[in-house]
Each structure stands twice: as structure tokens, then as C-alpha cells.
Amino acid sequence: MAGVLQDGKHRLNNGSIYEVGGFDESGNIVLDNGWTVTKDFGHLDYGYTVTSFASQGKTVDRVFVGQGFESLPASSREQFYVSASRARQQVAFYTGSKQELLEAVSRSDERLTATELLHGGLPPAIRAPERSAEHVRTEERTREHRELVHER
């Protein structure tokens, strides 16, 4: 059965992150929790980067968040909170525009009830602000750069 470990009792689920504790004499991977993953298990990948969504429920010492303008439409107050609250000691944000990031994370993407949806959604004070002229210019420059890259 795919995902089942050597002991037959435990399984690795897609998206789970574990630390490697070492290797046994047969070359199998021994996780820091004592579980053994056979050397022919299949594909395992480094867990250095994950999305904010995938990081929910996980805690690490340091978090580095990269939010370029491409990801700003998916940014919100809730996503920002999840990203920032994963760290025990330190969180660092990297972005192309601090102002654009602040505007993006001032929005809420709370789920609407059916009644709110029928009556036009959230009140204007809570709706997402219009994109600034700087954001639009940055998008245009990136689109031009992509076009140049594709022409080469």
C-alpha cells in the first residue's frame, strides 16, 4: 500500500513534514520520531518551502515569507496571520513593495454567507481597495519583461 512505512502501522501523507534522524544499516531512512522509511519508498522532497495554506498547524523557529506582487491578489489579512504566526523566534517578509503588501493584507477574505452574497457581499469598508497606480505600473513592467524573455 502506497505511503505505508516499513512497520506497516504508520504512513506518510502527502504534505507531511518530518525530520530525518539518520539511516539504518540497510540504507533505509530513519525519521527523528523512530519511524523507518524504506530506501525504495518513492519520491520524498525537501520541506524547506511550503505555502501559507500548507503551513497551517506547523511551527518552526524562523519563517521567511516571500510575497512578490504576483501573489498579492491572493494575499489577505488571514493569509498574512498564518504566515507570520508560524515562527517561534523570527519572521522576515520579502516583498517588492511594502506599501502594496500592506494594502493587500489589509483585506479580509472571510467567507461570505449566502445572505451576504445575495445582498452584494461585504460592506464597502471591508471590500478590497483598488490597486494603486504603482502596482499597475509594476505589473506592466513585469509583463514587458516576460515578453522580452519569451522573444529571446
Side-chain angles (χ1 to χ4, degrees):
M1 178 185 279
V4 176
L5 298 182
Q6 190 177 36
D7 63 8
K9 297 176 186 173
H10 300 100
R11 58 181 292 120
L12 294 182
N13 295 315
N14 190 24
S16 297
I17 298 176
Y18 298 95
E19 255 184 67
V20 173
F23 299 89
D24 66 14
E25 57 280 344
S26 301
N28 298 315
I29 302 168
V30 179
L31 303 178
D32 65 345
N33 62 5
W35 297 359
T36 301
V37 181
T38 61
K39 60 185 173 190
D40 59 349
F41 178 79
H43 181 74
L44 298 175
D45 207 349
Y46 295 104
Y48 293 126
T49 59
V50 294
T51 64
S52 293
F53 181 78
S55 71
Q56 291 188 76
K58 295 176 175 55
T59 304
V60 295
D61 291 336
R62 290 174 195 77
V63 171
F64 300 95
V65 181
Q67 283 194 248
F69 77 90
E70 299 89 353
S71 64
L72 292 179
S75 299
S76 68
R77 180 180 8 220
E78 293 80 8
Q79 172 271 323
F80 185 82
Y81 172 79
V82 170
S83 297
S85 64
R86 303 304 91 200
R88 283 187 202 97
Q89 299 172 358
Q90 178 185 17
V91 62
F93 280 84
Y94 296 88
T95 186
S97 170
K98 181 179 177 181
Q99 183 60 37
E100 294 290 333
L101 177 60
L102 291 173
E103 289 175 18
V105 300
S106 68
R107 296 187 303 254
S108 175
D109 70 354
E110 290 186 54
R111 305 225 187 278
L112 298 177
T113 65
T115 305
E116 289 171 327
L117 191 59
L118 283 173
H119 296 290
L122 297 173
I126 301 177
R127 290 188 192 137
E130 294 296 319
R131 296 180 307 158
S132 73
E134 177 188 342
H135 185 117
V136 171
R137 282 192 303 275
T138 304
E139 283 181 334
E140 289 170 357
R141 284 193 304 268
T142 300
R143 190 170 26 257
E144 290 169 4
H145 175 71
R146 285 186 188 136
E147 289 170 2
L148 289 174
V149 170
H150 291 296
E151 289 176 3
R152 294 181 187 166

